[in-house]
Amino acid sequence: TYFPRDPKAPARPDSTTHDIDLAIWERFMTVAEGIVQEVWAFDGTVPGPVIRVQVGDTVRIHLRSRPPTLPGLAALMHPAVNVHPHAVDFHASMDASSEVIAIQPGEEKLYEFKAEYAGVWMYHGAAEPALQEIANGMFGMVIVEPEGGLDAVDQEFFFVQGEWYLGGQYPPRPPTPSLTKAAAALPAPDFVVFNGIADQYRDHPIQIETGKRARAFILDAGPNLDSSFHIVGTIFDRVIKEGVELKVGNAGNWASQAVDLSPAQGAIVEFTMAEDGLYPIVTHAFNFVGRGALGLFQAGDGDPLN
């Protein structure tokens, strides 16, 4: 069993300096119904916490790796403890790669940067091999709003597409995801997921208001596959993809049906549900919809005939 990840995007704090504690956990996690893996996770979640700031803000990340041993009850609650070195790379920052320094279990490091460019940015584990860090769950989203902020909408959501390459199921201790599978020249993930868990929003539809304006922040964390993010039954009338904007009310009234993202690319989409009903959320590479990349928005009571 699992608790579905709340896809509601967090509000941006009012402050211009953000001190954020970010802990690295090596822990067990349900990645699909009945499937458990030992994952590497920021603050214990895959994806990690959504960090939201504004252009011009200062971001201080206090990164720490849990110690290799935990006392008493904590060890029983978290039987997977940290034993590997880890680092983090923030795509929203402008720092030399020499600043990406791995820390050992029990160590801490301060990452500080000024958010100079707006966008939906990725952060991810960067200790060698970085592929293994990302494939094991070390990734998350940074939203940098333009100076003055984004226009207000009625509801905001976030979706991070990721991939799981299962390491098998060998009791009593689940294995980590498979680096060998993730490194294959033709990647074939066991699951492609939104926000860490296969089919979680199919089984637990996301409530959305009918006729109200919604915004979704989208990130393709990869590590290998492109995304074609699509919501069946609606149209994106505003898209901001990697700094390029399709505006509402543009000449010709152009709009978008899907947003194509390569690994590490992000976008913002806005849309409205015209009537009550169920609206599937997919990557339009449909061979992966059956591997977990499927969710549902429920507008109103979910019944278009009411």
Side-chain angles (χ1 to χ4, degrees):
T1 59
Y2 64 88
F3 294 100
R5 180 72 177 270
D6 185 354
K8 181 180 178 181
R12 176 172 52 83
D14 292 333
S15 60
T16 58
T17 298
H18 307 267
D19 280 281
I20 299 166
D21 292 318
L22 198 62
I24 299 168
W25 293 28
E26 297 173 14
R27 55 157 294 194
F28 301 159
M29 175 179 159
T30 297
V31 300
E33 189 63 50
I35 304 294
V36 177
Q37 299 278 274
E38 180 186 321
V39 305
W40 302 346
F42 291 110
D43 270 15
T45 67
V46 178
V50 176
I51 298 169
R52 189 167 183 176
V53 301
Q54 185 175 217
V55 167
D57 288 359
T58 297
V59 182
R60 297 193 187 109
I61 305 293
H62 302 268
L63 184 73
R64 59 185 177 85
S65 179
R66 294 197 310 166
T69 58
L70 295 171
L73 181 61
L76 295 176
M77 294 174 64
H78 304 288
V81 295
N82 292 10
V83 296
H84 301 281
H86 297 290
V88 63
D89 176 17
F90 288 91
H91 289 194
S93 70
M94 298 178 66
D95 294 307
S97 60
S98 56
E99 290 294 309
V100 180
I101 300 171
I103 60 174
Q104 301 295 327
E107 293 183 341
E108 300 183 8
K109 177 175 173 53
L110 174 66
Y111 290 85
E112 182 172 337
F113 63 91
K114 184 175 181 179
E116 299 190 54
Y117 294 96
V120 176
W121 305 94
M122 183 176 177
Y123 69 91
H124 63 86
E128 291 297 329
L131 172 61
Q132 185 173 29
E133 299 255 270
I134 299 170
N136 284 14
M138 293 186 69
F139 53 81
M141 174 188 288
V142 176
I143 301 167
V144 181
E145 297 185 37
E147 190 172 356
L150 292 166
D151 299 336
V153 294
D154 297 297
Q155 289 182 278
E156 292 185 317
F157 306 93
F158 76 94
F159 296 99
V160 180
Q161 181 175 308
E163 302 149 29
W164 289 119
Y165 300 85
L166 298 184
Q169 290 285 283
Y170 305 121
R173 184 183 180 90
T176 57
S178 170
L179 177 59
T180 300
K181 284 185 181 180
L186 292 175
D190 294 280
F191 295 109
V192 177
V193 302
F194 297 126
N195 294 347
I197 304 171
D199 292 322
Q200 63 176 322
Y201 303 127
R202 180 200 66 184
D203 300 333
H204 305 274
I206 303 164
Q207 192 67 42
I208 192 169
E209 297 182 69
T210 304
K212 298 294 184 69
R213 190 155 191 83
R215 171 183 293 138
F217 301 94
I218 315 298
L219 174 69
D220 180 12
N224 298 318
L225 299 179
D226 291 349
S227 176
S228 179
F229 187 83
H230 173 68
I231 302 174
V232 179
T234 193
I235 291 172
F236 304 145
D237 62 1
R238 184 186 188 194
V239 177
I240 306 173
K241 174 193 168 185
E242 292 289 296
V244 179
E245 183 174 6
L246 173 69
K247 295 184 177 181
V248 177
N250 60 79
N253 208 35
W254 299 97
S256 175
Q257 60 199 305
V259 176
D260 58 314
L261 298 173
S262 294
Q265 289 192 313
I268 300 171
V269 298
E270 296 182 9
F271 53 93
T272 302
M273 304 310 192
E275 60 183 13
D276 288 1
L278 294 173
Y279 295 80
I281 308 161
V282 299
T283 176
H284 220 278
F286 269 100
N287 53 329
F288 297 119
V289 171
R291 299 191 188 189
L294 173 62
L296 291 170
F297 273 119
Q298 178 177 311
D301 64 6
D303 186 350
L305 300 180
N306 285 349

